[in-house]
Amino acid sequence: MHNDRLSLDVIARHVDAKAEDYCALSDRIWATPELAFEEHRSVAEQIAMLEREGFRITPHVGGMATAFVAEWGSGGPVVGILGEFDALPDLAQVSGLAEHKPTVTGAPGHGCGHNLLGAGSALAAVALKDALEAEGIAGTVRYYGCPAEESGSGKTFMARAGLFDDLDAAFCWHPNVINEVSTTSSLACIQAYFRFRGRAAHAAAAPHVGRSALDAVELMNVGVNYMREHMPSDARVHYAITNTGGDAPNVVQAYAESLYLVRSPHLPDAERLFERVKKIAEGAALMTETSVSVQITDATSNVVPNKALQEAMYENMRRLGPPAFDESDVAFAEKLQKSALTEEEILASVKPYDMSLKTKVLHDGVLAMPAREEVMMGTTDVGDVSWIVPTVQCHTACFAIGTPFHTWQLVTQGNLPAAHKGMVLAAKAMAATAADCLRNPDLVARAKAELRERTGGRAYRCPIPDDVTPDDLRAKAA
C-alpha cells in the first residue's frame, strides 16, 4: 500500500466533497436539541445519512435506545470515530444574536456544540470510507453514536458492553475556541444519590418523636465541607440538594436527598475519596437516627493520553492549518465579545493555552503541543474508551474566544459559518490520522505499547456498578 493513496490531500478532498451535507446535518441537530438518552431525532438523522453512505447500522447498543454503531468495510485495522449529539437544558437561543433571546423559554439548546461534534465525526468516518473505497484499500471504519455525554456517560456503558474491545485506535474531537491536539488527562468521577429516611412528626406538637432526614442531609454537607481541607488539592467534590422533604416547615421531614459528584485525576483516588464521603453520610445518619442509602448513577474514568497518536494528529493539523475565517466570521465574533462576553471570560478561555490569544476574537493558528502533560479540570466519558484502545482528541476553533461552554453565547454561534469551518477542520484531522493508522502498522503498534505502559497493563474496569443500567439514569434525566 502506498502512502500517497491515503495522503492528507486525498483525505481533505473527500471531506470537502461531503462537507456541505454534514454541515446541514449539524444545523438540523442544532435546531432540534434533545437531552441525554432522548436524542431520537438526532440519531435518526445520522443513521439515515450513514445508511445512504453504505454503512451497516447496529442500533440500540449498550442497552441504550439512542446509542448505535455504523460500520463499513472488513478486516483490520479497525478504526473508530466517536460522535456525540446531546443538548443541555434551558439553553434554547436564537441563532446569530449577540443578546440573550430564547427560541422557546425553558427549552434545551446545544450549549456544548454536540450538534457539530456528532456531524463532524460522521463526516470524518464517511470521508475515510470514501477514500478507502476509491483506492480499494482494506480496513474497517466505525462511527460510534454515543448518547448522554453531558449526563449519563453513554460511552461508559458502551465500554462496559465491550463495544470498543476490538478497535485498533479511536478518534474524537470537541468544538472549542482554539485549535490544538488535546494532550491532557481528565478527572475521573463518581456521582451518587444519598437518600436519607427518617420519621415524620408535627414540628411543634411532637418534634421529639420525629427524625429529620433534612437534618441528616445538612449535616452530611457540613461534614464534607470540613473534609475539603484534608483531601488532595487536585480532587473536587460538588453537591446539590435534590429533595428537601417538602415545603412545610411545621413537618419534620421524613425524606431528603442530595446528589454528590466526586472527582480526582485517577479513578482509584476518586473511589477512595468517595468512600470517605460515604462514611460522612453514615455519620450524619447516626447523629440524626435516620437511615441512608447510596445509589451510584454515573461514573467515568480519567483520560489516558497517547503521545504516539497525538504527534500524528498534530502533524496533520499543522499541515492543514486553522479554519479559513472570513471578515463576516470575525465581525460577528467581535460583536459578541463586546456585547456579551466579559474580560474575565476572555482571559479564562485562553489562560490554559496561551495568554497572548486574549487580543484575538477567533483563533487563527494551531497551538504547538506542550512540553508537559496537564490535567483538564473536567470530566469526559472518552476516558473510558481511552483505557481500552489508544485514543486521541483534537479541539478546533468554532466559537469566539471567551465563549463559555454551557451558555447561550455558545448556542447562538453553533450553526454559523465559523462553527462549520471548525467542524470541517476536525473531520479532516480525525480522518487523516485514522488513515495514518490504516497505512502504518508501526504507528498502531507504538500506540498500543504506550497504552499498556501507561495503564501498567491493568485491564479496563468499568467504574459504574453492574447493577446500574442506563434506565436508572434515564429515569433521573426525565
Side-chain angles (χ1 to χ4, degrees):
M1 146 183 344
H2 302 289
N3 286 354
D4 59 356
R5 294 168 63 196
L6 285 178
S7 70
L8 180 61
D9 290 341
V10 168
I11 295 294
R13 284 198 298 272
H14 282 288
V15 171
D16 287 334
K18 298 284 177 71
E20 184 176 349
D21 291 342
Y22 285 83
C23 288
L25 170 65
S26 172
D27 290 352
R28 292 195 299 273
I29 294 174
W30 181 93
T32 55
E34 299 166 299
L35 299 177
F37 298 116
E38 302 299 329
E39 312 98 325
H40 299 289
R41 288 172 297 185
S42 302
V43 167
E45 289 270 9
Q46 293 178 80
I47 286 177
M49 290 191 71
L50 290 164
E51 281 184 323
R52 287 197 295 270
E53 301 282 4
F55 281 75
R56 303 179 296 274
I57 307 297
T58 305
H60 307 159
V61 298
M64 294 170 284
T66 53
F68 70 98
V69 177
E71 181 175 278
W72 178 89
S74 61
V78 183
V79 296
I81 302 176
L82 313 177
E84 300 164 13
F85 30 80
D86 57 326
L88 287 155
D90 200 25
L91 282 180
Q93 165 68 24
V94 175
S95 170
L97 288 186
E99 61 186 44
H100 187 204
K101 185 178 180 180
T103 51
V104 178
T105 301
H110 274 286
C112 209
H114 290 183
N115 59 300
L116 297 158
L117 200 164
S121 293
L123 173 58
V126 168
L128 180 59
K129 166 258 178 186
D130 287 348
L132 294 173
E133 191 171 40
E135 299 297 334
I137 296 173
T140 301
V141 180
R142 286 195 195 135
Y143 171 79
Y144 286 87
C146 307
E149 190 277 337
E150 296 291 358
S151 176
S153 300
K155 295 184 199 67
T156 308
F157 285 106
M158 295 170 82
R160 191 171 77 179
L163 295 172
F164 307 108
D165 289 355
D166 63 341
L167 280 183
D168 290 295
F171 306 87
C172 55
W173 77 292
H174 204 290
N176 210 305
V177 301
I178 49 86
N179 304 295
E180 67 157 0
V181 174
S182 175
T183 61
T184 60
S185 179
S186 65
L187 299 177
C189 79
I190 302 171
Q191 181 171 281
Y193 283 98
F194 288 81
R195 299 184 172 108
F196 291 89
R197 289 175 170 80
R199 180 180 291 275
H202 192 293
H208 59 287
V209 301
R211 298 294 181 265
S212 172
L214 182 57
D215 284 354
V217 163
E218 292 185 293
L219 284 167
M220 177 185 175
N221 294 341
V222 170
V224 171
N225 286 328
Y226 272 106
M227 184 189 72
R228 294 181 192 279
E229 183 184 358
H230 308 287
M231 70 184 202
S233 59
D234 55 3
R236 299 287 187 271
V237 179
H238 329 285
Y239 66 84
I241 299 177
T242 49
N243 189 320
T244 61
D247 299 325
N250 63 338
V251 176
V252 174
Q253 295 88 352
Y255 178 83
E257 172 188 280
S258 57
L259 179 63
Y260 267 78
L261 178 58
V262 177
R263 309 200 220 203
S264 188
H266 301 285
L267 181 60
D269 295 334
E271 290 171 331
R272 282 190 287 270
L273 188 58
F274 182 69
E275 289 301 315
R276 294 175 65 188
V277 172
K278 286 170 61 178
K279 289 179 181 178
I280 291 170
E282 292 163 1
L286 282 172
M287 285 188 283
T288 54
E289 291 190 326
T290 59
S291 64
V292 62
S293 62
V294 182
Q295 182 192 4
I296 294 176
T297 62
D298 200 352
T300 61
S301 303
N302 51 289
V303 167
V304 180
N306 195 282
K307 192 172 183 180
L309 292 184
Q310 290 167 3
E311 290 174 345
M313 181 173 274
Y314 173 72
E315 178 60 21
N316 288 320
M317 287 193 72
R318 185 189 65 78
R319 291 176 58 197
L320 287 163
F325 297 124
D326 60 24
E327 291 181 2
S328 176
D329 300 326
V330 173
F332 180 75
E334 189 171 42
K335 180 181 179 181
L336 189 75
Q337 276 193 343
K338 288 180 178 178
S339 61
L341 301 177
T342 67
E343 183 178 349
E344 185 179 14
E345 287 169 334
I346 291 170
L347 292 174
S349 77
V350 301
K351 185 178 180 181
Y353 309 109
D354 181 350
M355 287 296 287
S356 69
L357 298 178
K358 66 184 180 181
T359 61
K360 295 183 177 293
V361 292
L362 289 168
H363 188 208
D364 57 358
V366 176
L367 296 180
M369 288 179 61
R372 47 183 275 190
E373 291 179 359
E374 303 287 348
V375 177
M376 174 191 72
M377 301 309 287
T379 300
T380 171
D381 56 9
V382 172
D384 291 87
V385 183
S386 74
W387 274 88
I388 298 167
V389 57
T391 303
V392 66
Q393 180 172 18
C394 67
H395 298 148
T396 62
C398 298
F399 315 115
I401 287 174
T403 305
F405 286 87
H406 298 195
T407 65
W408 71 262
Q409 291 95 326
L410 192 142
V411 181
T412 197
Q413 302 172 74
N415 64 347
L416 299 185
H420 296 159
K421 291 168 185 176
M423 183 190 102
V424 172
L425 171 60
K428 291 176 179 178
M430 290 186 291
T433 312
D436 290 338
C437 290
L438 286 166
R439 71 187 185 206
N440 186 355
D442 180 63
L443 173 58
V444 174
R446 286 189 289 112
K448 288 183 175 180
E450 181 179 346
L451 177 60
R452 287 192 296 272
E453 181 180 355
R454 286 179 179 265
T455 60
R458 181 168 74 85
Y460 170 71
R461 176 174 57 82
C462 182
I464 297 179
D466 291 342
D467 61 347
V468 176
T469 71
D471 285 338
D472 297 324
L473 278 68
R474 183 160 49 248
K476 284 299 173 184

